[in-house]
Amino acid sequence: MVKLYRKKVSYEKNKPAATSNQVTGTMANSSHTYSVAKNISANQYSLTGYTFNGWNTIANGGGTAYANSASVINLTTVNGATVPFYAQWLPHTYTVAYNQNKPANASTTVTGTTENSSHIYDVAKNITPNEYALTGYTFKGWYTEAGVAFDFENTAITESIELFAKWEEIAEDPTVEIALEKSSVKLDS
């Protein structure tokens, strides 16, 4: 008589500590039999700002990794054991591109380079400081294409975006020219 050992796989959400978002979705345990290959359940979880990146037998990813719906066999020799599989999450990355946005009426060329910046979801990072310069103009900040100032304090970057430099022409100081003419004055003695 051959005794078949049964075991279960539990699917743990494994929410990253860095995020305040909640993992959504539910998954039931799956049953497995020792020495019989069977696919693990397909992931049903989702997490805003993250991509599911498979399963691991240790929460921090240091155990055995398994692809979504992978075929498994002989996960444990302990009859009735539950083997936890922890969802692994990769944060999304985004690029902020900085456009020099030279005004149409500017007669000089924008100089300098402002390098694009890469940002990771749930990780605070400053944007690249402006390195553009335009003679006769003052840099007034970064704007969306629609001409609205980008609110870095209250707006999270959740996708790759392009920001446009806003320039304000420096008003020329009015110059008053006084023409002095030579004139002669005859003095009576």
Side-chain angles (χ1 to χ4, degrees):
M1 174 178 187
V2 175
K3 186 171 183 181
L4 297 177
Y5 293 97
R6 302 228 177 249
K7 59 198 144 297
K8 293 180 182 177
V9 171
S10 67
Y11 301 95
E12 308 302 326
K13 293 179 177 183
N14 197 27
K15 178 178 97 75
T19 188
S20 60
N21 296 331
Q22 296 301 312
V23 178
T24 59
T26 59
M27 293 188 68
N29 292 349
S30 59
S31 296
H32 296 262
T33 304
Y34 190 77
S35 293
V36 178
K38 181 179 177 184
N39 288 5
I40 56 175
S41 299
N43 175 51
Q44 298 298 311
Y45 297 137
S46 64
L47 177 58
T48 300
Y50 290 78
T51 299
F52 174 76
N53 192 41
W55 301 100
N56 200 289
T57 56
I58 297 179
N60 70 5
T64 304
Y66 293 93
N68 196 30
S69 302
S71 178
V72 297
I73 191 169
N74 301 341
L75 295 172
T76 183
T77 59
V78 178
N79 189 28
T82 299
V83 178
F85 274 34
Y86 298 91
Q88 301 297 295
W89 301 102
L90 288 178
H92 294 170
T93 58
Y94 309 105
T95 299
V96 177
Y98 305 95
N99 186 309
Q100 61 182 304
N101 196 32
K102 178 185 172 191
N105 61 340
S107 60
T108 58
T109 302
V110 176
T111 60
T113 302
T114 301
E115 296 295 328
N116 294 347
S117 57
S118 180
H119 301 264
I120 299 171
Y121 192 87
D122 275 336
V123 176
K125 179 182 174 184
N126 291 334
I127 63 166
T128 304
N130 175 49
E131 295 293 330
Y132 293 129
L134 181 58
T135 302
Y137 288 80
T138 301
F139 175 75
K140 299 303 284 183
W142 295 110
Y143 281 62
T144 63
E145 192 170 10
V148 177
F150 192 84
D151 182 3
F152 290 98
E153 294 295 319
N154 299 308
T155 306
I157 296 173
T158 59
E159 63 185 356
S160 293
I161 59 171
E162 183 175 19
L163 297 177
F164 298 82
K166 173 75 171 174
W167 300 102
E168 182 176 271
E169 191 169 12
I170 298 170
E172 292 184 25
D173 290 333
T175 304
V176 176
E177 291 186 25
I178 300 174
L180 298 175
E181 294 181 21
K182 284 186 176 181
S183 49
S184 55
V185 177
K186 186 175 183 182
L187 296 174
D188 289 327
S189 15

